[in-house]
C-alpha cells in the first residue's frame, strides 16, 4: 500500500508540529491540517464527487486534502469562472457538494449544491487532539483524485480525470529530478485550480513532508520577502518571471543590505537589490506552463547569477520533462523526459521520428497520464494514437542529449496567456452570443508580459454603434473567466473568408 500524502497520516510529535502551509499570517502544521482534513473527510465521505471553491487560501488546501483522504474526486473551481463556463462544469461533473470558506459568496449556480464550510482558523487548535487516523488508509492508485477542466480549440473545457497514481508518479519524478525533500520550502502565487499551482505547488510539498508558502497574490516584493526568509524554491509561470526580470532591470531603489554585492539577501532591503539577493539565495527557480523567453532567462541570470530551469507539462499528462537540479541548464529547452515518462516525436501520418533535431508532434506515455476526459470517450480516443500514446499537440525536437525543445503547437486556435490555456472557439461562441456582434474571430498575438494576448476581430451587428471593447471584455469575463477576455478588439466590415466560407485567421493579423 502506498499513500499519496504519507506525512498527513496521523502525524505526531515533531512531525505534527512542522509547518505544512502558510498563507499570510495563517499557518497550518501537519497536525492541524491532518486533523482539519480528516474531520472534513468524514463529512464528505459519501459525497460521490465534490467541487472545491479554489480560492488561494488554506481552506482550499484543507478541502483538497480532505477529498483525497476520503477518496472522493474533487473538481477545483476557479472562483472567477463566469456563468456559462460554471454551468457547463457543474452539468458535466455533477458534484453533490461544494467545499468553500466561511466568507465565500457563491454564485447562484452553486447554491443548489450542499455547501460544506471549511474554516482554517477553526481548524484543530490542539493538534495532538485532532491529528488524523479516522479514515481507512487503503488507497486505490487507479481511482480518480481530481478532475481538472482544460480548454480545447473548440467547444467548452473538458474535464481531465487524474488518478492518484498520476499525481504520485509525477511528484516522485520531480523529487528525483530536483532533489526535492521535506526540507524544501516552496514559494508560489499560482492559482489553486490548475495542475501547476495545486498539484505541483501544494500536493508536491505535502507529499514530501515539506512546506509551501502561498503569497495569495503574485508580487515581486512578496517573492523577495519569502525567499529571503526561508523559502528554498520558487514555482511560477513565465509572466511572473518576466515581471521579476522587469524589476531586476529597473532602478535600484533598495541598494541597502539586501544587495547581493553586500552579500545580503536580507528582507530589510527593498526593490531590485533585495529581489536579486533573494533569488540568488534560492535553491531552485522553476518556470512552467508556457515558454520562458530566452531574453528573460538571460536578464535574471545576469542580475542574480542564477538560472531559472524549465519543466514541461500539461493538465492531461502532469509533468513530462524537466531540467534536473544537477543537470545543465539550457535556456530555450525544457530538459529531458522525467523518470518513468516515455516521449517520442511523430509526423502527422504517424511516422515516428528518430533523428536528433527532427521536428514532430510530442507524444508521451507513462504513469503520469490522465485516464481520459470525463464523459468524452470521443475526445479521449482522438487524443491518443492507435498504439496508446497521448498526443500533446505540442511540436518539438529532441537533441543528442535527450533535451526537448518546444517549437510550437499544432493548433493555432489555442492561446497561452499568462500560462492559462484558452480556446479561441469558446470565446468566439460567447462573443457571437452578444447582441451587438454579428461575426467574431479570436486569435492570439505575441505579448511581452503575457506571452500571448487574446485578440478579438468583430463585425458589429450595427456598424454605426458597435459594442465597446470594454463591454465585450466584460461580457467574456462574466460568461467564461476574466483571463479569457479579449485584451484588444478590432472592428471590421467583414471577416476574410475563403471560398468555403471558412474564416482565414492568418490574414487577420496582416491587416
Ligand atoms: C480585469 N479583471 C476583470 C476584468 N478585467 N474582472 C472581471 N471583468 C473584467 N473585464 C480583473 C482580474 O480578474 C484580476 O483581478 C485583475 O483584473 C487583473 O487581471 P489580469 O490582467 O487578467 O491578471 P494579470 O495581472 O494579467 O495576471 C497575470 C498572472 C496570471 C498573475 C500571471 O495570468 C496567473 O495567475 N497565471 C497563472 C496561470 C496558471 O496557473 N496556469 C497553469 C495552467 P484581481 O486584480 O483581483 O486579481 S498550465 C498547467 O497547469 C500545466 C500542467 C503546466 O505545465 O503548468
Ligand atoms: P495546460 O493544458 O493548460 O495544462 O497547458 C499545457 C501546455 O502548456 C502544454 O501543452 C504546452 O503547450 C505548454 N507548456 C507547459 N510548460 C511549458 C514550457 N516549459 N515551455 C513551453 N510550453 C509549455
Amino acid at each position: 500500500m502506498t499513500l499519496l500524502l504519507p506525512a498527513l497520516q496521523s502525524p505526531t510529535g515533531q512531525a505534527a508540529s512542522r509547518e505544512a502551509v502558510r498563507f499570510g499570517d495563517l499557518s497550518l502544521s501537519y497536525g492541524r491540517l491532518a486533523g482539519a482534513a480528516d474531520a472534513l473527510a468524514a463529512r464528505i465521505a459519501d459525497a460521490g464527487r465534490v467541487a472545491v471553491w479554489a480560492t488561494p487560501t488554506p481552506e482550499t488546501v484543507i478541502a483538497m486534502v480532505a477529498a483525497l483522504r476520503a477518496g472522493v474526486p474533487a473538481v477545483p473551481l476557479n472562483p472567477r469562472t463566469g456563468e456559462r463556463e460554471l454551468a457547463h462544469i457543474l452539468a458535466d461533473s455533477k458534484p453533490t457538494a461544494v467545499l468553500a470558506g466561511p466568507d465565500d459568496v457563491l454564485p447562484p449556480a452553486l447554491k443548489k449544491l450542499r455547501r460544506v464550510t471549511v474554516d482554517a482558523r477553526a481548524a484543530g487548535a490542539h493538534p495532538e487532539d485532532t491529528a488524523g487516523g479516522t479514515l481507512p488508509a487503503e488507497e486505490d492508485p487507479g481511482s480518480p483524485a481530481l478532475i481538472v477542466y482544460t480548454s480545447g480549440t473548440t467547444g467548452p473545457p473538458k474535464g481531465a480525470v487524474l488518478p492518484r497514481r498520476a499525481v504520485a508518479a509525477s511528484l516522485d519524478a520531480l523529487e528525483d529530478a530536483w532533489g526535492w525533500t521535506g526540507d524544501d520550502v516552496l514559494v508560489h502565487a499560482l492559482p489553486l485550480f490548475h495542475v501547476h499551482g495545486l498539484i505541483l505547488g501544494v500536493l508536491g510539498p505535502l507529499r514530501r513532508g515539506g512546506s509551501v508558502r502561498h503569497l495569495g497574490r503574485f508580487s515581486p516584493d512578496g517573492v523577495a520577502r519569502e525567499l529571503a526568509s526561508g523559502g528554498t524554491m520558487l514555482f511560477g509561470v513565465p509572466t511572473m518571471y518576466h515581471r521579476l526580470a522587469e524589476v531586476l532591470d529597473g532602478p535600484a531603489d533598495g541598494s541597502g543590505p539586501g544587495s547581493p554585492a553586500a552579500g545580503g539577501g536580507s528582507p530589510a532591503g527593498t526593490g531590485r537589490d533585495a529581489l536579486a539577493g533573494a533569488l540568488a539565495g534560492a535553491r531552485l527557480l522553476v518556470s512552467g506552463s508556457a515558454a520562458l523567453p530566452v531574453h528573460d532567462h538571460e536578464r535574471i541570470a545576469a542580475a542574480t547569477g542564477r538560472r531559472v530551469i524549465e519543466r514541461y507539462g500539461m493538465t492531461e499528462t502532469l509533468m513530462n520533462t524537466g531540467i534536473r537540479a544537477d543537470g545543465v541548464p539550457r535556456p530555450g529547452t525544457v530538459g529531458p523526459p522525467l523518470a518513468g515518462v516515455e516521449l517520442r516525436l511523430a509526423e502527422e501520418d504517424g511516422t515516428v521520428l528518430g533523428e536528433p533535431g527532427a521536428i514532430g508532434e510530442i507524444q508521451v506515455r507513462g504513469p503520469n497520464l490522465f485516464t481520459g476526459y470525463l464523459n468524452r470517450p470521443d475526445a479521449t480516443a482522438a487524443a491518443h494514437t492507435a498504439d496508446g500514446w497521448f498526443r500533446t499537440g505540442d511540436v518539438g525536437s529532441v537533441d543528442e542529449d535527450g533535451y526537448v525543445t518546444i517549437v510550437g503547437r499544432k493548433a493555432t486556435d489555442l492561446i497561452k496567456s499568462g500560462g492559462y490555456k484558452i480556446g479561441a472557439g469558446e470565446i468566439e461562441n460567447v462573443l457571437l452570443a452578444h447582441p451587438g456582434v454579428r461575426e467574431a474571430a479570436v486569435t492570439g498575438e505575441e505579448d511581452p508580459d503575457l506571452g500571448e494576448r487574446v485578440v478579438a476581430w468583430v463585425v458589429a451587428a450595427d456598424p454605426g454603434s458597435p459594442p465597446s471593447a470594454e463591454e465585450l471584455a466584460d461580457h467574456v469575463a462574466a460568461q467564461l473567466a476574466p483571463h479569457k477576455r479579449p485584451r484588444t478588439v478590432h472592428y471590421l466590415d467583414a471577416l476574410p473568408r475563403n471560398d468555403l466560407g471558412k474564416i482565414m485567421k492568418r490574414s487577420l493579423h496582416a491587416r
Side-chain angles (χ1 to χ4, degrees), residues 80 191 196 217 243 289 311 313 416 418-419 474 477 482 485 487:
R80 292 182 187 274
H196 194 170
R217 183 189 187 90
R243 293 179 187 180
S289 302
R311 94 293 178 287
K416 262 275 168 173
D474 288 348
R485 71 191 190 276
R487 311 267 173 159

Side-chain angles (χ1 to χ4, degrees), residues 63 76 93 128 158 165 185 203 237-238 247 250 263 279 290 302-303 336 338 374 384 411 428 445 459 487:
S93 64
E128 258 58 277
K158 301 186 286 287
R165 179 205 63 234
V185 177
L203 301 183
V237 292
V247 174
L279 292 171
L338 295 166
L374 189 68
H384 289 83
E428 288 162 0
E445 198 170 77
V459 179
R487 311 267 173 159

Side-chain angles (χ1 to χ4, degrees), residues 125-173:
H126 306 289
E128 258 58 277
D129 298 345
T130 51
T134 52
L135 289 158
E138 286 301 325
E139 293 182 2
D140 170 9
S143 66
L146 288 149
I147 299 164
V148 179
Y149 278 80
T150 181
S151 290
T153 50
T154 55
K158 301 186 286 287
V161 181
L162 300 169
R164 303 171 89 88
R165 179 205 63 234
V167 176
S170 210
L171 294 176
D172 293 351

Side-chain angles (χ1 to χ4, degrees), residues 150 287-291 310-316 334 392 394 406 409 416 419-421:
T150 181
S287 174
S289 302
E310 286 193 68
R311 94 293 178 287
Y312 156 58
M314 198 172 172
T315 302
E316 292 89 333
V334 293
T392 64
D394 292 311
I406 297 171
R409 70 184 154 245
K416 262 275 168 173
Y420 287 112
K421 184 185 268 183

Side-chain angles (χ1 to χ4, degrees), residues 174 177-179 196 233-238 241 283-292 297 300-301 306-312 321-336 338 403:
L174 294 179
W178 296 340
H196 194 170
M233 305 203 290
L234 176 68
F235 288 179
V237 292
Y241 284 101
R283 190 177 80 74
L284 219 55
L285 307 173
V286 187
S287 174
S289 302
L292 180 63
H297 268 288
I300 293 169
R306 295 298 312 276
R307 286 276 175 200
V308 177
I309 61 171
E310 286 193 68
R311 94 293 178 287
Y312 156 58
T321 75
I323 306 274
R324 297 182 61 88
D326 57 5
V328 183
R330 232 176 269 169
T333 82
V334 293
L338 295 166
Y403 274 53

